[in-house]
Amino acid sequence: MPDAAPAPTHPALGTPIPPRAVPRIPVKALGFSLGGFLAITYVLCVLFDLWFPQQAMRDAWLPLLPGVTWLDWWSFLLGLTEAFAYGWYVALVFAPLFNVCAARLR
């Protein structure tokens, strides 16, 4: 097995320059954070629609949540679950793509 190449040095000082680590996005952390963000946003949208029915936004987001109707407990829980799942979908697609691109473009 060949020896590892020595760390490059600063030309003027001879100080070793540490190699840069490739940035990585952990899928699990991104999934929970995006899922939580979208679930909280869904709850806030439902509350907004209940408090301000004349300004209701439900017509905009109901087509994005299959099976969700306005408004009963099962439909609300289904929308909450779907919002959380959308966050995980984005994390499962975006994080690996970012990690591969960051490693290749290093």
Side-chain angles (χ1 to χ4, degrees):
M1 184 152 111
D3 291 339
T9 59
H10 187 280
L13 305 175
T15 306
I17 300 172
R20 288 186 180 169
V22 176
R24 296 189 56 79
I25 295 177
V27 175
K28 197 174 193 181
L30 186 62
F32 279 112
S33 60
L34 283 176
F37 169 75
L38 291 177
I40 290 168
T41 301
Y42 172 74
V43 171
L44 292 175
C45 285
V46 169
L47 290 175
F48 181 87
D49 285 358
L50 291 172
W51 288 333
F52 304 102
Q54 71 281 5
Q55 302 290 326
M57 300 181 300
R58 68 179 163 265
D59 294 333
W61 53 262
L62 277 178
L64 301 173
L65 300 169
V68 175
T69 58
W70 187 256
L71 185 68
D72 58 44
W73 282 107
W74 292 112
S75 181
F76 174 77
L77 292 175
L78 177 62
L80 194 62
T81 303
E82 289 177 356
F84 189 77
Y86 277 138
W88 268 96
Y89 168 74
V90 172
L92 289 171
V93 172
F94 177 76
L97 283 173
F98 176 86
N99 293 337
V100 167
C101 291
R104 288 189 184 217
L105 296 175
R106 179 177 176 212

